[in-house]
Amino acid sequence: AANPAMLEMFRDRDRRPLRDMAPWAGEFAGKYLTHAAQIYRLTQDERLREHLTWFVGELVSLQAEDGYLGPWPKDCRLTGEAPNSGIQPGKRHPTWDAWGHYHVMLGFLFWHEVSGDRRALACARRIADLVCRMFLDGGRRLVSTGSEEMNLAPIHALCLLYEKTGEARYLAMAREIEMDFEA
């Protein structure tokens, strides 16, 4: 409630004029869900569960048809750059888009683990499927998005998803990212 932009940035990602954002925009919803799911695991507080059920419903509703769940305009999705990520209008600046997707996937996985919420697991899988389509099938490397210390983080969530689902593509994508570590 104190930070409505945490979700609104996903809702208005293609609205003009573009929202001015920092490269790491989009990471906070996932980080919020990750920590809140861990707190729920410890406390079993029913008010927190109700809130997180609402929050996950809102976040899931903001996922694009192709699986994208970030704040950047359509032509900038998982490219590592956007015109509204920086202070010089009209120029493209770095984004940590894959980093944000990592945090959202991790939050969804933790929430699914403590709540059984199938929407969360399905949403995490749609993100992983998008990453696989773009970087496993698409001929691009995730390392090409720049900001490697952040944007290669999805390896962790992909391994967890592979462990949970047995989907071989998730492990194959994680191994591709592992090769990117050499870069």
Side-chain angles (χ1 to χ4, degrees), residues 92-104:
R92 290 186 176 252
H93 300 280
T95 66
W96 301 359
D97 205 7
W99 169 258
H101 279 81
Y102 160 66
H103 285 290
V104 170

Side-chain angles (χ1 to χ4, degrees), residues 111-153:
W111 177 242
H112 175 263
E113 194 175 284
V114 298
S115 71
D117 188 334
R118 291 185 209 159
R119 300 171 305 168
L121 180 60
C123 196
R125 291 190 73 168
R126 285 191 300 272
I127 292 169
D129 292 341
L130 172 64
V131 169
C132 288
R133 280 193 313 275
M134 290 184 76
F135 299 102
L136 192 60
D137 305 336
R140 292 178 51 222
R141 309 279 316 166
L142 188 57
V143 72
S144 72
T145 64
S147 302
E148 298 85 4
E149 64 275 26
M150 281 69 69
N151 280 339
L152 296 182

Side-chain angles (χ1 to χ4, degrees), residues 142 152 154-155 158 173-181:
L142 188 57
L152 296 182
I155 190 173
L158 288 161
M173 185 65 225
R175 288 188 168 144
E176 291 293 313
I177 296 170
E178 182 182 24
M179 287 190 291
D180 287 342
F181 288 164

Side-chain angles (χ1 to χ4, degrees), residues 3 6-7 10 28-34 36 48-62 108 111 119:
N3 185 0
M6 187 183 330
L7 292 175
F10 300 116
F28 299 111
K31 287 181 171 183
Y32 176 77
L33 182 55
T34 296
L48 180 57
R49 182 184 182 91
E50 289 172 16
H51 171 71
L52 291 176
T53 299
W54 169 83
F55 184 83
V56 167
E58 286 295 305
L59 191 54
V60 166
S61 77
L62 298 170
F108 280 143
W111 177 242
R119 300 171 305 168

Side-chain angles (χ1 to χ4, degrees), residues 63-78:
Q63 189 172 40
E65 283 186 30
D66 66 356
Y68 183 77
L69 190 50
W72 304 106
K74 191 166 191 165
D75 64 333
C76 300
R77 293 178 179 178
L78 292 170

